[in-house]
Amino acid sequence: MKRLAFNGGEISPAMTLRSDMDAFTRSCSLVTNWNIHATGGVSRRRGMRHLTTTTENTSRLIPYRYSAEQTALIEIAPAALLVRDSDTAAIIATFTPDEETPWQYPDLTQITWLQINSLLLILSPHTPIMQLQCDDGGDWTFSPFEFVSPPWQTEDYRDIELTLTPDGTVYTPSYAPVESDDGETAEILPEDTEASTGDILRASYYTTRTEAFAKAATASSGLSLLTALTTSSNISLGQKIAWQDPEDTLDQYYICTQDWTGSNDFTAGYISPANYPDNFDRADSSDGFDPSDAITELSSGKTCKKGDKIVFRSGYYDLYYCIRPFNGSADFRTSTNPADYPRHFTRGIPIGQAIPSGGKWQFYCSGTWYGTYEIRRNYETGALTEQWEHLGESISSIGATANNLITGNEEEEECYLRLFLTQIRFVTPGNPAAGWPPDYCANRLIVQSYRRNMQLTVLADGTLQDTSPIITPLTSPITTTDWSWCAFNSRYGFPSLATLHESRLVLAATTTQPQTIWMSQSDNLNNFTTGDLDTSGIHLTMNTSTQAPICWMLSRREVIMLGTMDAEWVIKPSTGGAGLTAANARAYNQGNNGSMPIPAIGTTDRVLYTERGGGRVYEYGYRYETDAYTSADLTIFADHIASAEQGITGGTVLNKPYTSVIFTTASGNLLLCTYNTMHNVHAWHRYTTQGTIQSVAVLPNGTGSDRLYLIVNRDSSRRIEIIDDTQEHYLDGLEEYPYTSTLETTAFSSPEHNDRKTKTATVEAYLLAPTPPPSALQLSTGGAYKPNDRHTITPGWNQFTSTANWRHMPYIGIKCTGNHPCTILAMQLE
């Protein structure tokens, strides 16, 4: 019988007699300190090369990978975070808690992380979400993750009234129970009212409808005509400017072909001769016309006789507002146009004040007017000096009046809105105000009433500071039952899990809400405001029979896969083909194995999670044949391997040169599984060393194989070490710790040899150069290991047992030691 491969990995002693199974013929009874190739061979693992000694007594490793070339190794301790160079492990940056950011990680086993581009989020149930980031200049920062709008503990109305008494932007809270219909009053519970400094409270109320409108005379007051900026120009803050560009003025030439009397023929809004083709023809040239007699409009008071020559002049003034004083001697460059000085001028004259908006709005217009209105938005302040985002414009063209409504909805995030008039019609030379839209047109920005969420931060004296993104101070007390504390604080706990799904940041599992998932708005990762839009934030609490907490969570394609301590779930839309929204998000149970509170490992098309108790690993994913998400036991033929190492404590995945899933164990050794679902390979093996392995992390290495980093306790010292392909190195540490690579096969069985009268046989192994010297190998045929003194090791087939009395189902053991490589491609019985 030929043994063609070892990619069945180490299998359970319970499989000792199962030579009838394919898994048996590809497996071993023990594989330690070897790498099992997906193609079937084994090679001796490289040594754990020493990089540095850690400064912390307790810590773990986190990979930071912005790209294959830009990586760093993060070492995190209960009260220190160290950024290390991924080549040398030298410290690049160190962060410790301070008064502004008093973070702490008392239990490092409960830390999880999520990287989004250059941002690394670190989560713990004991500490607010922290973010580690490296900027383009290579500078690192470690600070709390800031929410524009955080998730709230509840969105429901309360049985307790909250009254806020203002003093500027600081509020004094008071609570009073509300009497119900049956005359009972709610009990004021400490968890409803007690808070710690820094906690965030939401207090919601409805605003009133607001308008931005100004009468023409008022809004155009002080408007001055500008033909060119020069070195002598001096324009003060707040000055309104009408910019006249000669190139934008158009003269058109008409001949009256039939008498036109305004009192009979004029139609309101139709001011151009082109509007009356029965009375006027467009001239082919300007010969004989006098531009000094140009008109800017036809009206009910005008009369034209047949044969009259008419010059119709049309055009616009562009309007600007000075936001910073302009001193020509210092500020003038080469352009005479105010549009080229955005630091000093904003295009358009503001109509009214900036209006906060968190819901629907519209620009309403009517009547006859000529010009352009524009709606702009800003999320920071209402100041004109800010950068304002263009939302839409309504244009009424000369000769083609139009009343175009503009609408919008700012439900996703509260902001400031402003209305600008950016163009008016040229009417009277030297008098730009004459072209202002008349008041009867009622052109205005209307912001509808909306639910405003005040965000109030608790100060040391118990008062509340308004820290809303948009602050609108109240002038009198308000009372509301629509209020809530932030879902994340020292009393409720902080999210322990995060993933990214459909451009949403997904957070889950606090101490008081262990089965709740919060999803941010689409493409707005720090805003968790809920609403009716498809892009609004989502707040979902699973309906289960127990309150078993969520242990892991990963996004895969259109679903979020997660596991609790007693079941497996997917969150997906209730309607096929749709994206996830608040209206269709549902949690579906997919199994009841239960999980350890250890982050799952995502591979190409599956998720691997550890069963509760840490003794088994399951492969979780969609299977076409069942049309469901199901779990398959990856340790079904190796049910001993995790329990023999006292259980799994964490894991990671190495993707290159081939996928290998790596687990830390309570015993301090590593469990590895060469993993390839396409070819049904999941080969278990182990790494051991002189000492205990406490933490691992994997980083890419450009086009080379991935690097495996380890924290190893050796002789009372904690070291950071690495396994990579940069050198031939087969000793651990500073080459002072040799290790032994041991491979023991399952039993060889061959009916041909079993039936021989003379029961003799040999076992051969195919070795790939380079190979160790004979003295570096020890061999066993089922008994004690003996030095390989008789056999020369060469590339190709090597006889590992001599012809001897045949034993039924012999085992072969190989031990390789020293600073030597060894690769075995196959074994066979001859």
Side-chain angles (χ1 to χ4, degrees), residues 310-578:
I310 298 170
V311 180
F312 180 74
R313 181 164 294 168
S314 63
Y316 294 97
Y317 288 112
D318 290 332
L319 303 179
Y320 292 91
Y321 187 85
C322 184
I323 57 176
R324 292 184 180 88
F326 182 87
N327 184 338
S329 61
D331 299 321
F332 180 79
R333 295 190 294 273
T334 57
S335 175
T336 61
N337 192 330
D340 295 324
Y341 299 88
R343 175 175 169 78
H344 297 275
F345 303 99
T346 183
R347 186 167 185 271
I349 292 176
I351 305 299
Q353 301 298 314
I355 305 175
S357 177
K360 295 180 179 179
W361 56 267
Q362 67 175 200
F363 171 70
Y364 173 82
C365 51
S366 65
T368 302
W369 57 279
Y370 305 94
T372 303
Y373 283 92
E374 185 178 336
I375 311 296
R376 299 175 193 166
R377 172 175 64 194
N378 184 271
Y379 289 108
E380 302 297 332
T381 72
L384 290 167
T385 52
E386 296 289 337
Q387 294 293 321
W388 289 78
E389 176 186 357
H390 172 87
L391 294 181
E393 59 185 8
S394 180
I395 302 174
S396 183
S397 302
I398 298 172
T401 57
N403 285 302
N404 299 318
L405 215 64
I406 311 173
T407 62
N409 192 340
E410 306 305 320
E411 183 182 295
E412 286 189 348
E413 185 174 341
E414 191 178 22
C415 65
Y416 287 106
L417 296 179
R418 271 196 177 274
L419 175 64
F420 291 84
L421 181 61
T422 61
Q423 284 184 319
I424 57 174
R425 182 170 66 96
F426 173 83
V427 177
T428 305
N431 182 19
W436 207 276
D439 293 340
Y440 64 77
C441 295
N443 299 341
R444 64 192 65 201
L445 172 64
I446 301 172
V447 176
Q448 303 291 351
S449 172
Y450 67 96
R451 179 186 181 222
R452 183 164 192 275
N453 295 328
M454 296 176 65
Q455 295 182 32
L456 306 166
T457 302
V458 178
L459 302 178
D461 61 0
T463 58
L464 305 172
Q465 173 69 58
D466 191 349
T467 53
S468 306
I470 303 295
I471 297 178
T472 305
L474 299 175
T475 56
S476 60
I478 63 165
T479 298
T480 180
T481 56
D482 188 1
W483 60 273
S484 172
W485 293 104
C486 176
F488 310 147
N489 58 37
S490 57
R491 288 174 296 140
Y492 301 148
F494 299 94
S496 55
L497 298 168
T499 191
L500 197 64
H501 182 73
E502 294 180 347
S503 299
R504 299 177 186 266
L505 175 60
V506 185
L507 304 173
T510 63
T511 304
T512 56
Q513 293 181 288
Q515 293 191 338
T516 298
I517 298 99
W518 298 271
M519 305 183 204
S520 74
Q521 297 176 348
S522 295
D523 296 313
N524 202 353
L525 303 184
N526 58 355
N527 190 332
F528 285 75
T529 301
T530 57
D532 298 328
L533 302 177
D534 287 350
T535 55
S536 296
I538 302 172
H539 181 176
L540 176 66
T541 298
M542 299 162 55
N543 293 317
T544 67
S545 58
T546 71
Q547 281 296 298
I550 300 172
C551 297
W552 57 267
M553 176 175 66
L554 279 175
S555 171
R556 279 295 179 270
R557 298 183 64 181
E558 74 280 2
V559 305
I560 299 173
M561 306 168 71
L562 56 89
T564 68
M565 282 189 173
D566 58 10
E568 294 74 56
W569 300 78
V570 294
I571 296 174
K572 63 179 183 177
S574 58
T575 52

Side-chain angles (χ1 to χ4, degrees), residues 110-122:
Q110 294 184 300
I111 288 178
T112 61
W113 58 88
L114 172 69
Q115 186 159 350
I116 307 170
N117 295 323
S118 64
L119 189 70
L120 179 69
L121 301 183
I122 299 179

Side-chain angles (χ1 to χ4, degrees), residues 6 34 743 745 748 761-767 771-772 774 777-781 786-788 790-794 796-803 811-815 822-824 826-828:
F6 301 97
W34 297 86
L743 184 147
T745 70
F748 285 86
T762 61
V763 176
E764 296 179 338
Y766 192 98
L767 273 70
T771 56
L777 282 180
Q778 296 184 49
L779 303 176
S780 169
T781 57
K786 297 180 180 179
N788 179 38
R790 296 177 300 167
H791 304 297
T792 301
I793 305 299
T794 59
W797 288 108
N798 283 263
Q799 181 178 310
F800 271 17
T801 62
S802 60
T803 300
Y811 292 79
I812 302 300
I814 301 173
K815 288 185 177 181
C822 183
T823 299
I824 303 174
M827 280 190 183
Q828 67 180 4

Side-chain angles (χ1 to χ4, degrees), residues 79-127:
L81 183 141
L82 292 77
V83 180
R84 293 182 177 274
D85 180 83
S86 56
D87 291 324
T88 65
I91 297 175
I92 300 172
T94 301
F95 300 96
T96 56
D98 54 38
E99 292 183 0
E100 294 183 1
T101 56
W103 53 271
Q104 59 176 342
Y105 298 109
D107 188 348
L108 294 177
T109 64
Q110 294 184 300
I111 288 178
T112 61
W113 58 88
L114 172 69
Q115 186 159 350
I116 307 170
N117 295 323
S118 64
L119 189 70
L120 179 69
L121 301 183
I122 299 179
L123 300 93
S124 165
H126 310 289
T127 301

